[in-house]
Amino acid sequence: MARTRVNVAALYAALDAARTTRGLSWRQLAGQVGVSPSTMSRLANGHRPDVDAFAALVQWLSLPAESFMVDESGDGADVHSAEEPELLAQLAPLLRSRRDLGEDDVRYLEEVIGAAMRRFISERKAAME
């Protein structure tokens, strides 16, 4: 039977990125989300949030909860399909839906992310040889 859990590190990283982008302290973020500051401290220390806090956090992030779920029944694989879709294919709709990014901004980000992904893939292949 699959054992699905919250990927606390991924959740914390997403919160930290959004917090930094919005210029918030952890205490301010907790206030906006409606959770206690100690919830943020527990996340920083790798502890899973309770279900209500998790729901509030993913809602604040405007991301689906399953983005932070992992199957720990063996290989720790993502609960999504075993084969990950291409990162840029996942990011393109998000980038294009952003009102704070112009078309040139989106193209630039796609180029930068695409170049980084090609480098990562190339380095992985070289390491396997």
Side-chain angles (χ1 to χ4, degrees), residues 80-99:
H80 304 292
S81 66
E83 176 129 353
E84 287 283 343
E86 295 211 15
L87 180 60
L88 211 45
Q90 288 180 299
L91 290 176
L94 172 67
L95 293 173
R96 294 183 183 285
S97 70
R98 300 280 311 203
R99 288 185 228 135

Side-chain angles (χ1 to χ4, degrees), residues 27-102:
R27 185 171 294 281
Q28 290 170 321
L29 183 151
Q32 282 190 8
V33 173
V35 299
S36 70
S38 65
T39 297
M40 298 297 139
S41 296
R42 286 193 302 276
L43 285 173
N45 291 315
H47 298 284
R48 289 186 310 274
D50 65 47
V51 70
D52 292 332
F54 178 69
L57 292 166
V58 297
Q59 184 175 18
W60 184 82
L61 286 167
S62 298
L63 291 171
E66 54 271 5
S67 300
F68 304 103
M69 305 302 285
V70 291
D71 176 4
E72 294 184 344
S73 63
D75 60 7
D78 187 327
V79 296
H80 304 292
S81 66
E83 176 129 353
E84 287 283 343
E86 295 211 15
L87 180 60
L88 211 45
Q90 288 180 299
L91 290 176
L94 172 67
L95 293 173
R96 294 183 183 285
S97 70
R98 300 280 311 203
R99 288 185 228 135
D100 59 340
L101 295 176

